[in-house]
Amino acid sequence: MSAPSPDTKAGMPLVHAVNVTKAFHGTEVLKGIDLDVRKGQVVCLLGPSGSGKTTFLRCINQLETLDGGRIWVDGDLMGYEERGDKLHHLTSKAIAAQRREIGMVFQRFNLFPHKTALENIMEAPTQVKGENKTQARENAIALLERVGLQDKPSAYPAQLSGGQQQRVAIARALAMQPKLMLFDEPTSALDPELVGEVLAVMRELANDGMTMIVVTHEMSFAREVADHVVFIDGGVVVEQGDPTSVINNPQHDRTRSFLRRVQSEHQAVEHVPETLQAAVATGTHQELADPTSDSDLDEVE
């Protein structure tokens, strides 16, 4: 399988995965995943825990190495180069350079606890890209405003809510000006009242044309924001298509069973807020309406 020539790159999807396989300790986790993601698309990966969704996401930016298959991002073969008919691993430095083009947001926020929100966002552009601190600071301030935290530049992670920390994590990923954003269940570690504000930021990114691959159990996001939904189970793509078709009219028993279970569980948000401002206002209203919010627990007990 040869690398695409410069003449064919323009016609390729931004992400082109072919027959991706991966095993851990002899157990196959990915069994031949094919996926195309066009520039500007939002693709949601759905499926039960252990189905391979996160592993596939990590293979895209080479946090996990592939056992078989190929993944191209913007025409570049990830993690390898072809010399003649043989594949050769790229050096760690070359792989790191590829990763700079891809932002990733994890379940846990992974912020530096000893750095402020502003410093967390400035870290990668200054240390990895060599951006001067003045420019990095200006960009970081703009990104804090973009995620609705313009009043929190000096706050440390411990002083922020989970939703605010995840918004800083999104801003940190955006600071590298990625061509692709990967989200690995970005709301799963959040209290329910904070989910909407993170999904709203992601919705705004989608509206701005950011290409996104999102592993999520938030069906409202998959239904309302995604352009394409992929259901993965047992390391294979079982079903994929537009959200309306897959979610409202699944064709496979495994898809139907998964969706019944997920939809029977409580969803943090019924609809993704149109804007971050609306999400924050809703969250504030819920906190005020709840007499046993976290801030009051000590007094209630």
Side-chain angles (χ1 to χ4, degrees):
M1 188 180 299
S2 60
S5 68
D7 291 337
T8 61
K9 279 187 178 184
M12 286 186 69
L14 185 70
V15 179
H16 181 51
V18 179
N19 197 30
V20 174
T21 62
K22 178 67 181 179
F24 294 104
H25 308 295
T27 300
E28 282 188 294
V29 178
L30 301 177
K31 303 176 183 178
I33 300 289
D34 296 332
L35 182 67
D36 284 347
V37 181
R38 298 282 173 184
K39 184 177 181 180
Q41 262 194 322
V42 178
V43 174
C44 280
L45 306 184
L46 307 178
S49 298
S51 60
K53 308 180 303 297
T54 293
T55 298
F56 178 68
L57 215 61
R58 291 171 64 86
C59 284
I60 293 175
N61 69 351
Q62 292 297 295
L63 289 176
E64 299 289 351
T65 57
L66 281 65
D67 291 337
R70 309 279 193 278
I71 298 176
W72 287 271
V73 175
D74 201 21
D76 293 327
L77 182 61
M78 299 301 293
Y80 300 88
E81 63 176 342
E82 289 184 318
R83 301 176 197 160
D85 294 331
K86 293 185 178 180
L87 277 182
H88 296 267
H89 281 281
L90 293 178
T91 64
S92 296
K93 183 177 181 180
I95 290 175
Q98 289 185 328
R99 285 197 192 115
R100 292 174 201 164
E101 306 289 323
I102 303 172
M104 188 161 184
V105 178
F106 301 88
Q107 296 179 31
R108 296 290 174 178
F109 325 119
N110 295 341
L111 299 176
F112 293 114
H114 61 289
K115 292 182 180 291
T116 65
L118 191 69
E119 291 167 343
N120 265 281
I121 298 169
M122 291 174 59
E123 181 73 11
T126 55
Q127 298 300 315
V128 178
K129 294 178 70 175
E131 202 170 280
N132 73 72
K133 288 190 176 182
T134 300
Q135 184 61 54
R137 181 182 177 84
E138 290 178 3
N139 292 341
I141 290 172
L143 285 168
L144 280 172
E145 184 171 1
R146 185 175 185 180
V147 299
L149 295 172
Q150 59 270 24
D151 59 338
K152 302 290 186 181
S154 301
Y156 289 90
Q159 299 171 314
L160 300 172
S161 70
Q164 290 170 333
Q165 290 184 61
Q166 194 63 295
R167 284 190 273 157
V168 172
I170 292 172
R172 179 182 58 183
L174 293 173
M176 293 294 284
Q177 300 178 317
K179 60 183 67 173
L180 170 68
M181 286 286 287
L182 308 176
F183 293 86
D184 183 16
E185 298 196 31
T187 61
S188 64
L190 300 180
D191 292 333
E193 67 271 14
L194 303 177
V195 168
E197 63 191 56
V198 173
L199 295 182
V201 170
M202 294 169 63
R203 181 171 211 154
E204 290 180 350
L205 288 179
N207 291 341
D208 289 342
M210 176 61 73
T211 309
M212 301 160 58
I213 304 177
V214 183
V215 172
T216 186
H217 284 115
E218 295 295 340
M219 300 310 296
S220 59
F221 186 87
R223 185 182 294 107
E224 298 172 23
V225 183
D227 302 298
H228 193 77
V229 169
V230 181
F231 175 64
I232 297 176
D233 191 17
V236 298
V237 173
V238 176
E239 187 167 354
Q240 61 180 309
D242 67 86
T244 300
S245 298
V246 174
I247 296 174
N248 295 344
N249 189 29
Q251 299 301 301
H252 293 266
D253 288 341
R254 281 193 284 176
T255 315
R256 285 192 286 268
S257 175
F258 170 77
L259 290 172
R260 276 197 300 268
R261 180 174 60 78
V262 170
Q263 291 170 348
S264 69
E265 298 170 352
H266 175 71
Q267 293 282 300
V269 293
E270 291 186 14
H271 298 286
V272 180
E274 292 290 339
T275 65
L276 175 58
Q277 184 177 10
V280 172
T282 300
T284 301
H285 175 74
Q286 288 176 342
E287 289 178 3
L288 290 173
D290 182 1
T292 59
S293 64
D294 287 347
S295 61
D296 297 325
L297 284 179
D298 290 340
E299 293 182 10
V300 172
E301 293 172 354

